[in-house]
Each structure stands twice: as structure tokens, then as C-alpha cells.
Amino acid sequence: MSDAVYDLTLERIALIRRMVVAWGGAEPGAPTVHPDAPYGSLDRDGDIANVTGDDEGAEEEHRALEDGLAVFAQNALLKPGRYQYHNGLAKLDHGEVGDVFRDAQTGQTPEHITFAVTPEHLALIPRLAYGWDAARNVPCVDPKQPYGGTGPYTAAMARHLAAVPETAANDDEDGETHRIRLHREMQPALQIFLRYADLGPGAFRRPAPTSDWQPA
């Protein structure tokens, strides 16, 4: 089987940075791109054309970002720290997908988010099971097995976090509770990562469907 090859262009990076990350799926749920406004407004094709300069081919470019999101998440770099971002979900309908910051009683969510991205979040972002939500036509993370595999998602998290020193140092809550909380924090962590992580354009290859994308 030949390698899969992906061309991560400047335009595709720009669209990835504009993605609005929501929370979707049945339990345990996972980050997903907002189906109504994947790039910030309700005019998906117009948002894409504003970036690419091409009024045609919007659907093709949008569909290409299933692999583009995985390429970016598995290769971009971000330093741990506190970040701020404008919460695009504040102005969007939340009936289709969720938002971990939205108040269940008032239905309100903050317009501006300040969030601390930790080495744990950064270790998990490349390990998320990126794919395509065919029903909503957007890139997503598998909500039932968000870190791949077939066992409990928290067990997969524990394996991915085994080499992160901060995990062993966490003693304010038990490990399972910590991983459940950490998983829900992947919505803001991924949103920040897409907006601020560093990665330039280039060709990437994937030796097998279960392999990570690597610079070609």
C-alpha cells in the first residue's frame, strides 16, 4: 500500500485556525467542529472563498480538512501556558452541539475564554481520533472512542499520559476523576491549539491508515 500524501497549504492552515470547536456526540463526547459555522460564520462557502480567493471548490477544500486537522494536530507545536480567545460559540445556536462552558440553566456561555493549556492537554491533542462526521459534514473527534482503541477512553488517556511528569504529580483528585475532567477540557485546549500552535505549510505523509502524519 502506498503512503497517503497531504499538501498542507497556507490557505488550509488559515481555515484550520478559523475553526470553531464545539462539543459533540453522546457520552463521553468529544471536540467537534461546529456544523453550522465551521469557520466562524453561517456562510461556510463564503468563509472558505475569503481565504482561498476561489468562489468554486469550497466543498472540496472543506472535505480536505478532515486530514488537514489531523496533520495539524499531530505536527504543530504549542508551549504550555495561559491563553485567551474569543468564544465563537457564544453567538451560535447550541441545539446541534454543546459547549463545555455553557451554563445549563441560563444557556449562556462566555464571549471570552481564558484557559491554561498544560503538558497533559498537549500530550493528548495528537492522540485524539480525528475523523469525519458524515451526518453534520464537518471534521470531528470520535465521540465514543475519542482516543481510539476499543477499551475505556480513560484507560487510553492513561497510556498516553504515562510519560507526562505533571500527571504523576497530580494528587488533588483521583486518577479517573482527573482524566474525566481533563477530557472535557479538550474542547478549549484544542480551540487554543488550532489558533496559536506553530506549523508551516508543506507536504506530509502517512505510511498507514493507523499511523500519524509526518513531514514528507
Side-chain angles (χ1 to χ4, degrees):
M1 180 183 296
S2 60
D3 295 357
V5 178
Y6 186 85
D7 183 18
L8 184 68
T9 63
L10 283 170
E11 291 80 8
R12 287 173 177 174
I13 292 173
L15 288 169
I16 288 168
R17 295 203 184 283
R18 286 165 170 76
M19 284 180 173
V20 178
V21 180
W23 190 260
E27 290 296 328
T32 186
V33 175
H34 198 290
D36 297 331
Y39 308 107
S41 85
L42 298 177
D43 182 10
R44 186 203 71 176
D45 289 359
D47 288 344
I48 294 173
N50 286 337
V51 171
T52 64
D54 183 2
D55 291 333
E56 299 181 0
E59 179 63 31
E60 182 179 356
E61 274 302 294
H62 177 62
R63 190 65 180 81
L65 291 176
E66 173 188 357
D67 286 340
L69 179 58
V71 167
F72 192 90
Q74 292 168 5
N75 290 275
L77 298 175
L78 182 72
K79 292 182 178 180
R82 294 183 68 82
Y83 294 85
Q84 293 182 333
Y85 67 91
H86 175 75
N87 184 13
L89 297 171
K91 62 180 180 180
L92 295 172
D93 177 34
H94 57 281
E96 187 77 5
V97 289
D99 174 11
V100 297
F101 293 110
R102 194 174 297 278
D103 186 285
Q105 293 184 335
T106 66
Q108 301 298 308
T109 192
E111 291 188 9
H112 299 278
I113 302 292
T114 300
F115 183 78
V117 177
T118 69
E120 291 179 299
H121 297 123
L122 296 175
L124 291 172
I125 285 172
R127 306 274 68 85
L128 287 167
Y130 298 98
W132 189 260
D133 185 334
R136 297 186 173 97
N137 197 34
V138 287
C140 69
V141 173
D142 184 341
K144 294 184 178 180
Q145 294 292 339
Y147 303 93
T150 57
Y153 78 96
T154 51
M157 291 177 72
R159 291 192 296 272
H160 297 318
L161 294 170
V164 181
E166 284 75 2
T167 301
N170 178 71
D171 58 4
D172 60 340
E173 57 188 348
D174 70 81
E176 187 74 1
T177 300
H178 177 64
R179 288 186 287 273
I180 291 171
R181 176 177 63 80
L182 192 64
H183 176 58
R184 290 187 63 80
E185 291 175 351
M186 294 308 290
Q187 179 195 323
L190 182 60
Q191 181 71 85
I192 288 167
F193 190 87
L194 299 185
R195 294 196 182 181
Y196 294 111
D198 291 326
L199 183 65
F204 293 80
R205 58 183 288 273
R206 186 177 60 189
T210 56
S211 302
D212 287 350
W213 289 95
Q214 306 166 357

